[in-house]
């Protein structure tokens, strides 16, 4: 496929998992738009520097720690995991606070990626990120097959990257033309 000129911004719609975002950045994507941060918040999930936390689980019931100790957003500095556990899916404030945090987390992640690219340290940034999300070093094979974690590249077209990032194959729906 014909590649876009290197100075054109690349927009990737519908990719919102942190690992997917990092892989797309490594492939040269510049902008993202996805509902994942807010949708996952409605189900009591928080995106953190060590992976996704499911706050509806009982192990957070008495946890007085911050949602993500590495985040300075208002949710992390003002509410405990125990409080968020109580309101996660039962009160509207729960999904609002988790959405606020999830968006703050993704902004922090992508700003860090931009700073690392500008500083020439992106390979280390993505290695550190992947190790935090996969401390057992069991990285997703789809991820490893897409990127070589030595430098950001624009070797693959965005359409191919998006195709490869899809975790489930979608079936084509047939519509009745009545």
């Amino acid at each position: 496929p014909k590649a876009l000129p290197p100075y054109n911004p690349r927009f990737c719609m519908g990719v919102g998992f942190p690992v997917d975002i990092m892989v797309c950045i490594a492939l040269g994507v510049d902008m993202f738009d996805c509902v994942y941060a807010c949708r996952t918040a409605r189900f009591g999930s928080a995106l953190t520097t060590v992976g996704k936390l499911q706050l509806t689980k009982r192990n957070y019931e008495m946890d007085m720690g911050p949602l993500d100790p590495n985040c300075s957003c208002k949710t992390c500095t003002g509410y405990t995991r125990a409080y968020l556990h109580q309101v996660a899916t039962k009160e509207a404030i729960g999904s609002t606070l988790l959405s606020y945090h999830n968006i703050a987390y993704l902004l922090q992640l992508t700003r860090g990626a931009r700073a690392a690219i500008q500083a020439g340290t992106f390979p280390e940034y993505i290695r550190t990120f992947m190790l935090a999300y996969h401390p057992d070093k069991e990285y997703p094979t789809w991820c490893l097959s897409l990127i070589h974690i030595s430098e950001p590249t624009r070797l693959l077209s965005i359409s191919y990257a998006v195709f490869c990032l899809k975790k489930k194959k979608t079936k084509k729906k047939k519509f009745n033309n009545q």
Side-chain angles (χ1 to χ4, degrees), residues 43-44 99 112 123 129 145 170 172:
F43 295 104
S99 292
F129 167 81
S145 66
T170 55
K172 292 182 181 180

Side-chain angles (χ1 to χ4, degrees), residues 4-10 28 30 154:
L4 289 172
Y7 52 83
N8 283 15
R10 276 108 170 125
D30 302 297
R154 296 183 187 266

